[in-house]
Amino acid sequence: MDYIVSNMVNTLSDKVLKFERVNSDRDYSGGGWFDEVFHAIYLYSDMSFRYVINTFRSVSGGGLSLPYQNKEEYIGLWKITYQDFKTYLIFTFDDGSQQKYETQNLGTGLQRLNDQTWNRYLIQ
């Protein structure tokens, strides 16, 4: 069990996990909408993290476009636990709240968090 935890800590330390969701709808009149949400979780070797969420949305129609852009940023500490034959990545945010994700190394550059596959890169 200690080996599993330390191996996952080594896999994730000084890495950034990235996930992007893009949706859009265009109709024949030239109107439509676009929605993009980009997540980046920076996991540092001192067990701190920075979670950045960038959102861009745009609605257009009748010659008008209404764009919306937002950036959220959260910080705190991360840790790895192993229980019931599963590995978990736990984030403790500065406000004391927590989020827990089942995680798995899917091979070079890929990390599963719950049911989503994220890209894993070295922090540059």
Side-chain angles (χ1 to χ4, degrees):
M1 181 169 66
D2 288 337
Y3 170 76
I4 293 170
V5 169
S6 65
N7 190 40
M8 188 61 71
V9 168
N10 288 337
T11 298
L12 295 176
S13 290
D14 293 321
K15 302 294 190 314
V16 56
L17 303 178
K18 295 183 178 183
F19 180 79
E20 185 174 18
R21 186 191 77 231
V22 178
N23 294 303
S24 67
D25 180 41
R26 300 283 180 225
D27 62 29
Y28 293 107
S29 69
W33 57 270
F34 178 81
D35 178 53
E36 178 180 45
V37 180
F38 180 77
H39 300 261
I41 306 172
Y42 297 84
L43 301 167
Y44 301 103
S45 59
D46 67 356
M47 306 308 283
S48 66
F49 75 87
R50 185 168 56 100
Y51 189 169
V52 180
I53 304 170
N54 285 303
T55 303
F56 177 76
R57 293 185 177 105
S58 180
V59 177
S60 62
L64 297 174
S65 178
L66 298 171
Y68 167 82
Q69 191 167 356
N70 188 47
K71 180 178 181 177
E72 300 171 62
E73 193 165 333
Y74 306 94
I75 58 172
L77 299 174
W78 66 279
K79 69 179 178 179
I80 297 294
T81 62
Y82 184 78
Q83 58 193 97
D84 301 323
F85 304 103
K86 295 178 182 177
T87 306
Y88 294 94
L89 173 58
I90 300 174
F91 297 107
T92 302
F93 295 86
D94 271 1
D95 67 2
S97 64
Q98 286 190 333
Q99 288 184 1
K100 181 178 181 179
Y101 296 91
E102 184 180 343
T103 190
Q104 182 181 5
N105 178 351
L106 298 177
T108 304
L110 296 175
Q111 189 74 27
R112 184 173 56 82
L113 295 182
N114 289 342
D115 295 327
Q116 295 177 325
T117 301
W118 293 55
N119 292 305
R120 185 180 62 235
Y121 305 98
L122 280 171
I123 294 175
Q124 302 273 337

